[in-house]
Amino acid sequence: MEKSVAITKEQIEHYQETGLLLIPELFSQAEIAEIKAVVDDLSHKNTPGCILEKDNKTVRALHGCHQYSDTFKSLIRYPRLLTPACEMLGSDVYIYQLKINLKGAFNGDVWPWHQDYVFWDEEDGMPSPQAINIAIFLDEFNEFNGPVYFIPGSHKQSLTHLGQKESANTENVWESNVSAALKYSLDQETVTKLVNQQGIVAPKGPAGSVLFFHSNSVHGSAPNISPYPRRLLIITYNSINNIPRSTKAPRPEFLVSRDYTPLKPLREAALV
């Protein structure tokens, strides 16, 4: 039987204060190997939510894999992820987004400083940041391979976002939300002020570790020029009390799920 993870009161308080909670090795190496095998397979297929780096060869990210992969359909319902998400948000949840950021060895590009919620607010009409990101380390995260930088406590800040210019290609305008030139990013002055006030951390750990982070946490990552890949699977759960408003130009389904069915945890493990 699949075991849920009991989140303690202290862990919830730590998450509420810092916007972050790291649990090392929440997944076994056998489970991670199964996930990575699926990711490797999907990386060689022309899936709708696939985006490449500027070299037009290296896969930067995959989106919406839970819509067609049985492995990811099961993963989003794992109690060890789903149960803590419901506890932290205080409600039932549905899957809002699933993405895999593949910061390839030598060629993984930058992710500028940003907050996630501004994209969901401006692009999708999400009423409030009552959503949570759960990131699974598919590789070891170390100081060499472009770990994600976070500013603890920044989820409590109200910030001004400096966006890139709108793309003239409206057909693929969603790509400006996931490229190295993000549509909504933070300027150097704002980031410097936040870091001076709050500090900066780069959660590291072995493959299988899981990081819970707030939808308003300021984060970004440097290019990966090391020979070590750095693959990160991020599941975003949204509260069923936080359904986005309709928009004139909805983003693709693989980027933003519009199935608001509350998720129920699996009764049995299904990855391995």
Side-chain angles (χ1 to χ4, degrees):
M1 296 290 288
E2 169 67 15
K3 295 181 180 180
S4 62
V5 173
I7 295 294
T8 67
K9 178 183 177 182
E10 290 74 20
Q11 286 176 313
I12 293 177
E13 289 175 349
H14 178 80
Y15 172 80
Q16 292 172 341
E17 179 64 25
T18 66
L20 305 167
L21 176 64
L22 178 66
I23 301 180
E25 298 182 273
L26 186 58
F27 284 83
S28 71
Q29 293 308 301
E31 290 171 319
I32 292 299
E34 177 68 21
I35 295 173
K36 287 167 67 172
V38 177
V39 171
D40 289 343
D41 179 59
L42 295 177
S43 297
H44 292 90
K45 296 179 179 179
N46 186 24
T47 57
C50 179
I51 188 167
L52 303 177
E53 298 284 15
K54 286 181 286 189
D55 63 7
N56 289 319
K57 295 185 297 183
T58 305
V59 177
R60 177 176 175 84
L62 301 170
H63 298 86
C65 305
H66 63 290
Q67 296 177 345
Y68 47 79
S69 165
D70 289 339
T71 296
F72 294 119
K73 287 178 183 177
S74 297
L75 184 63
I76 63 175
R77 297 174 55 210
Y78 258 40
R80 72 187 82 167
L81 303 177
L82 182 57
T83 301
C86 292
E87 291 178 358
M88 289 180 173
L89 293 177
S91 72
D92 286 339
V93 300
Y94 71 95
I95 179 68
Y96 182 75
Q97 187 178 81
L98 184 148
K99 59 190 175 188
I100 305 160
N101 292 337
L102 296 86
K103 196 178 283 283
F106 297 110
N107 295 314
D109 207 350
V110 64
W111 285 90
W113 287 103
H114 67 283
Q115 293 171 297
D116 288 339
Y117 174 62
V118 65
F119 293 89
W120 307 337
D121 178 18
E122 296 288 340
E123 304 294 321
D124 309 324
M126 183 184 284
S128 74
Q130 196 180 354
I132 188 170
N133 293 309
I134 302 183
I136 304 172
F137 295 8
L138 300 185
D139 299 292
E140 177 188 2
F141 273 47
N142 55 48
E143 61 268 39
F144 307 113
N145 61 355
V148 186
Y149 302 150
F150 289 89
I151 302 177
S154 56
H155 63 297
K156 300 178 181 179
Q157 301 281 345
S158 176
L159 302 172
T160 300
H161 294 82
L162 302 180
Q164 308 292 331
K165 291 183 178 179
E166 290 283 354
S167 170
N169 183 0
T170 56
E171 182 179 352
N172 293 321
V173 71
W174 67 270
E175 293 183 2
S176 67
N177 303 152
V178 294
S179 71
L182 288 179
K183 185 175 180 181
Y184 306 101
S185 57
L186 292 168
D187 60 31
Q188 295 179 6
E189 181 180 359
T190 300
V191 172
T192 301
K193 181 179 179 181
L194 284 172
V195 171
N196 287 340
Q197 292 173 343
Q198 309 285 143
I200 183 173
V201 298
K204 296 185 285 287
S209 301
V210 170
L211 177 69
F212 298 77
F213 68 97
H214 195 279
S215 59
N216 250 341
S217 292
V218 174
H219 61 289
S221 62
N224 181 13
I225 61 172
S226 80
Y228 312 118
R230 193 234 68 180
R231 289 163 287 192
L232 185 66
L233 191 158
I234 304 176
I235 297 171
T236 302
Y237 295 109
N238 189 26
S239 168
I240 59 169
N241 301 321
N242 196 40
I243 303 298
R245 305 177 296 271
S246 59
T247 61
K248 293 181 179 179
R251 293 196 292 172
E253 182 77 20
F254 58 75
L255 203 62
V256 182
S257 175
R258 281 176 281 278
D259 181 352
Y260 308 131
T261 305
L263 293 173
K264 301 300 180 184
L266 289 176
R267 292 182 178 274
E268 296 181 358
L271 283 184
V272 176

